[in-house]
Amino acid sequence: MIECKKLVKRYGKTLALDGLDLNVGDGEVHGFVGPNGAGKTTAIRILATLLRPTSGEAFVDGVSVTGDPQGVRRLIGYMPDFFGVYDDLKAWEYLDFYAGCMGIGAKERRRRIDEVLDLTALSDKREAYVDSLSRGMKQRLCLAHLMMHDPKLLILDEPASGMDPRARSEMREILGDISAMGKTVLISSHILPELAQMCTSISILEKGKLTFSGSVQALENKMNASQLVIRFACEPSEAQARAAIEKLKEELDMVAVRDGLTCWRIDTQENVMQDGEALRLLMAVGLPVCDFHRERATLEDVFMEVTKG
Amino acid sequence: MTVNPIFESSARRRMRSVRLPMIVTVCVLAMLILSVCQLTGFFADGMVVWGMRQSTECYIWMTALQFFLILLVAPALSAGSIAGERERQTFDLLLVTGVGVRRIVMGKMMENFAALALVIFAGLPVMALSWVTGAMEITALLETLLFLLIIAFAALSVGMLASVVMRRSLTAIIAAYLMIFAIGAGTWILAKRGPIAAAYTNDVWEMIDSAGGGWAAIRTMPVTIFLNAAVALVMLLAGQTGILHRTMEQTMRLYDIYIAAGHAGYTRVAWVSIAAIFAISLLVLALCVLILHVRTGRIARRARRKD
C-alpha cells in the first residue's frame, strides 16, 4: 500500500529525511515511531501530498504522491498532529462539509454521515456543536471525516496525543474496527508502547533514517530483550553462590550477574527447557530460591535502545 | 450543478455569527443618521428650504458613505479567509480532501461577496429615499448599486490576496488596508506625476475637439486614473447628478484630466474605470490561485504511475 524509495527532504541545511525506504503492506496497521524531530511528520506530510520530497519517490497503492497528488488524495484520509475544527458547525454539518469537499453527492453524504458517526461512536452527538465536544470526541470526529470517502489508507499523525487513557482506549477500539474493515493504517507516535498495542508492524525512525522495520515481536527478539531474575529468601553463602555460578556457566552457558545481596540476573534468550534446568541446578546446590521468573524489557527500553543514536 | 461546499459552509457559519448582523445594523444606522442630518439641514449654515437639490446631495452622501463602508468592511471580511484557515489549522485538512485551491478561493470569495452584498442591499432602502422624492431616477440607483457591488468585489479580491500571502489574519487585514490605500494613492500620484501622466498640450485639446470628445478624450487620460475607485465614484455621481463638477474641480486637482473627462462624458469615464477595476480584480483572484498553487507545491505535473 505504501512504498517510499530513498525519500530525501531538506529544509535549508537541515536534513529531515535521509533516504527513507519504507514498505507497508495492504491491511496492515503500521506504527511509525521515532523521537521528536526524527522526521515522522515530514514523511507523513509527503505521503499526504502536502509536501514535496527533495528527491526520492513515494507511492500509495501504486500512485505517485508527486506525480498524481489528486489521485493519492482519493485513496487516503489524513489526520495531522495538530488540527482545528469549525467550532460553529454541528457534528453532521462538519462531516457534510468535508464530504462536499471530497465530491460526495448529497444523497450519499447523508448515508455515509450516519455510518461514520456510528463507527466512531458519535451518533448521539449528531446535532451537537463541535465546540461542545471533548478533545477525544473531536479527534474521533476528525477520524470520522477521514472515513467519509471510504479511503484505502488512513494516515494518522500522533492521533492519541493529549488524550486521557479512556479516550486513548476508545481510539484504539475504533482503529481496531477500521483495521477489521481491511483498511491500511499508518500511525505515528513517539510512544512505542502505545503503538505496540494496536499495530501489526512497526518502523522506527531516527534522524531521518529507518533503524528498524518489522513486527513488534521481531523488534523484541532483535533486542534479545529478556532477562531471567532469581531472588533468594536470604543471602546465599559465598561458597554456594560461587558453585552455582560456575555450574550455570559450565552446564548451561549462562552468566549470572549479582544484583544486590539476594538477587541475580541472567541475560539469555527465552527457553523454557533451559530455564527449568537452571532452576533445578540452583536448587541442587541448595540455594534458598524464593522467586524465579523472566522479566521482559519494556518497549520503552527497546525504543530507547534503538533510538539512542 | 452542486453548490461550492466552501461557500455553503462558510455562509452557514457567517450567518450564525453575530458579527455580520452587527455590521449591517451599524452601516444602515450610519446611513440613516447621515441622511436625516442631510435632509433636515443639520450640516447647513443657514436656513434650509427642502428641495430636490438637498435630496440629490443626500443621495451623493449616501453613495459616498456606502463606498467608504465597503472599503472599511471588505478587508475585515476577506483577509481572514485563507489566513484564518491556516491559523485554525484546518487548511491542510481542506487541501487533502482534493477540493482544489481554485474552488477554495472561489468559495471564500463568493461567501464574502454575499455578505458584503447583504450590507449593500440593506442600505438600498435608505438610498432609495432620493428616488421616492423624485430627485434621482431608478436607473441611476441601479447603476450605483452595480458600481458598489463591483467595488465590493474589487476590495474583497485585495483582501483575498492579503489573506493568501500573509500567514495570520491580523497581519492580512492590516496588509489589505495598506494595499487598498496604496492602490488609491498610487494610482492618483501616478496619474498626476507618473511617467504615463497625460500631457495636455494644445495639440491634444485640438485633437479632442476635432474628434468630438468621447473615446478620443478617454484615450488621452492616463491609464492609472481608471484604476482609482474614488475617481470612478466621483465621475459616476457627476454624470448622474450634474452637481459635482465644481467639487471635482476643487478636490481632484487634476484639472486637465477633469476637463478631458468632461469631454469624454463623466458616466462613460466612470464605466470604463469600473470595467478596468473589475478586470484587475479577476486578475488578482487568478494571482491568489496561482500563489496558493505554488505555496502548496501543487503546480500540476503529468501524472505518473509506478510500474
Side-chain angles (χ1 to χ4, degrees):
Chain A
M1 178 59 67
I2 298 175
E3 190 175 354
C4 298
K5 289 178 178 174
K6 303 204 181 309
L7 269 190
V8 174
K9 180 67 189 176
R10 282 181 187 281
Y11 298 106
K13 287 180 180 176
T14 310
L15 187 61
L17 285 181
D18 186 7
L20 176 72
D21 289 307
L22 177 70
N23 284 291
V24 178
D26 288 358
E28 276 187 39
V29 179
H30 189 87
F32 204 39
V33 200
N36 293 332
K40 301 185 298 291
T41 298
T42 300
I44 278 178
R45 285 178 66 81
I46 288 172
L47 286 170
T49 72
L50 291 170
L51 207 59
R52 278 185 176 275
T54 308
S55 66
E57 288 269 25
F59 298 92
V60 173
D61 201 25
V63 183
S64 166
V65 296
T66 50
D68 185 11
Q70 201 65 19
V72 170
R73 276 176 227 135
R74 280 191 287 270
L75 297 169
I76 65 166
Y78 165 65
M79 185 199 277
D81 47 355
F82 298 104
F83 64 90
V85 286
Y86 302 102
D87 284 342
D88 37 11
L89 287 181
K90 292 176 180 176
W92 76 266
E93 290 170 344
Y94 178 85
L95 297 172
D96 188 65
F97 164 60
Y98 279 109
C101 292
M102 290 162 184
I104 301 170
K107 205 173 172 183
E108 173 75 358
R109 270 186 244 171
R110 281 193 286 275
R111 187 180 64 78
R112 288 294 298 159
I113 286 170
D114 288 336
E115 281 177 8
V116 298
L117 281 175
D118 193 40
L119 175 73
T120 51
L122 287 171
S123 296
D124 58 327
K125 298 289 178 188
R126 196 178 195 283
E127 295 293 329
Y129 278 96
V130 175
D131 191 28
S132 69
L133 301 180
S134 67
R135 186 181 163 83
M137 285 177 186
K138 283 178 185 169
Q139 297 274 79
R140 270 151 52 198
L141 186 66
C142 185
L143 198 58
H145 105 246
L146 306 187
M147 293 297 292
M148 283 300 292
H149 64 307
D150 198 22
K152 285 185 173 180
L153 169 68
L154 287 182
I155 302 173
L156 314 175
D157 195 359
E158 311 250 1
S161 65
M163 290 167 94
D164 62 34
R166 177 177 291 277
R168 281 178 192 219
S169 168
E170 285 168 353
M171 179 65 93
R172 260 202 306 276
E173 274 179 35
I174 293 165
L175 288 178
D177 292 343
I178 289 171
S179 170
M181 291 161 70
K183 310 283 179 202
T184 308
V185 185
L186 178 70
I187 315 172
S188 88
S189 177
H190 58 275
I191 306 168
L192 181 57
E194 182 183 286
L195 285 187
Q197 293 169 320
M198 54 178 128
C199 294
T200 52
S201 57
I202 296 258
S203 289
I204 298 181
L205 200 62
E206 164 76 354
K207 291 180 182 168
K209 279 186 173 171
L210 214 57
T211 54
F212 174 83
S213 190
S215 68
V216 179
Q217 188 66 46
L219 178 62
E220 287 173 346
N221 291 345
K222 183 189 176 188
M223 294 307 299
N224 196 14
S226 185
Q227 212 172 39
L228 206 55
V229 180
I230 305 149
R231 293 185 195 283
F232 306 108
C234 58
E235 186 184 355
S237 70
E238 191 52 38
Q240 280 178 316
R242 198 172 297 145
I245 287 170
E246 277 174 13
K247 281 197 172 190
L248 283 170
K249 177 72 186 155
E250 283 169 14
E251 294 180 22
L252 300 171
D253 195 26
M254 287 180 169
V255 179
V257 177
R258 297 184 194 207
D259 181 15
L261 298 173
T262 59
C263 180
W264 292 359
R265 290 178 181 273
I266 302 170
D267 282 328
T268 161
Q269 290 279 9
E270 199 164 330
N271 184 330
V272 179
M273 296 296 287
Q274 200 178 26
D275 290 358
E277 191 58 29
L279 180 60
R280 190 196 59 74
L281 198 148
L282 292 171
M283 300 296 280
V285 175
L287 291 175
V289 179
C290 66
D291 179 20
F292 185 93
H293 71 275
R294 274 207 168 264
E295 211 170 75
R296 301 178 71 84
T298 63
L299 286 168
E300 205 61 49
D301 298 334
V302 176
F303 175 70
M304 295 302 286
E305 183 65 30
V306 173
T307 59
K308 68 185 175 190
Chain B
M1 196 179 125
T2 55
V3 181
N4 184 314
I6 313 282
F7 166 69
E8 192 182 6
S9 170
S10 301
R12 181 179 276 153
R13 287 167 43 229
R14 174 91 74 195
M15 294 314 287
R16 277 184 185 156
S17 126
V18 72
R19 210 168 118 198
L20 185 61
M22 276 178 66
I23 290 173
V24 171
T25 308
V26 168
C27 289
V28 174
L29 269 179
M31 289 178 72
L32 266 175
I33 291 167
L34 191 63
S35 61
V36 168
C37 289
Q38 177 64 29
L39 289 173
T40 54
F42 185 77
F43 297 129
D45 289 337
M47 195 186 78
V48 171
V49 179
W50 188 85
M52 288 295 181
R53 167 99 189 182
Q54 247 187 307
S55 192
T56 306
E57 279 177 5
C58 179
Y59 165 77
I60 291 169
W61 277 107
M62 285 304 98
T63 308
L65 180 64
Q66 281 263 51
F67 177 79
F68 172 74
L69 288 172
I70 287 168
L71 296 187
L72 195 70
V73 172
L77 283 179
S78 67
S81 299
I82 305 294
E85 293 284 346
R86 284 203 201 97
E87 245 172 2
R88 207 184 297 115
Q89 296 178 316
T90 47
F91 195 55
D92 283 351
L93 288 174
L94 216 50
L95 288 175
V96 176
T97 60
V99 69
V101 291
R102 190 176 54 84
R103 281 190 92 194
I104 294 175
V105 169
M106 291 317 294
K108 291 285 182 188
M109 192 65 196
M110 280 162 65
E111 191 274 319
N112 291 324
F113 185 69
L116 206 47
L118 182 67
V119 177
I120 294 168
F121 277 98
L124 208 55
V126 186
M127 288 187 69
L129 283 174
S130 55
W131 172 60
V132 174
T133 56
M136 299 302 300
E137 288 185 11
I138 190 76
T139 48
L141 275 178
L142 292 175
E143 269 181 0
T144 305
L145 179 66
L146 182 62
F147 166 76
L148 291 174
L149 288 173
I150 290 174
I151 293 303
F153 185 82
L156 287 171
S157 68
V158 172
M160 183 62 74
L161 181 63
S163 189
V164 164
V165 173
M166 299 294 168
R167 298 213 169 265
R168 306 201 75 80
S169 296
L170 186 63
T171 48
I173 290 171
I174 294 167
Y177 282 125
L178 288 176
M179 275 198 273
I180 285 173
F181 177 76
I183 291 167
T187 50
W188 182 274
I189 292 165
L190 281 173
K192 213 173 165 186
R193 299 179 193 279
I196 48 173
Y200 286 97
T201 58
N202 285 338
D203 291 346
V204 173
W205 289 121
E206 276 174 23
M207 188 273 288
I208 292 173
D209 284 340
S210 62
W215 289 104
I218 284 181
R219 277 194 289 274
T220 64
M221 296 170 75
V223 178
T224 55
I225 203 74
F226 295 109
L227 300 179
N228 191 303
V231 171
L233 171 73
V234 174
M235 294 282 175
L236 182 74
L237 291 174
Q240 286 177 345
T241 63
I243 61 170
L244 264 188
H245 303 172
R246 184 94 188 124
T247 313
M248 280 169 63
E249 193 180 357
Q250 285 171 350
T251 58
M252 283 178 67
R253 299 189 189 284
L254 295 166
Y255 303 115
D256 289 339
I257 295 171
Y258 153 70
I259 293 166
H263 282 283
Y266 298 120
T267 309
R268 186 185 303 211
V269 173
W271 284 110
V272 168
S273 178
I274 292 164
I277 289 169
F278 184 62
I280 293 289
S281 308
L282 291 176
L283 286 177
V284 168
L285 284 183
L287 181 65
C288 291
V289 173
L290 184 69
I291 291 171
L292 274 182
H293 266 300
V294 172
R295 281 212 163 169
T296 54
R298 220 155 279 146
I299 291 290
R301 278 171 43 168
R302 200 158 43 85
R304 275 176 296 156
R305 282 190 75 90
K306 190 170 73 97
D307 292 333

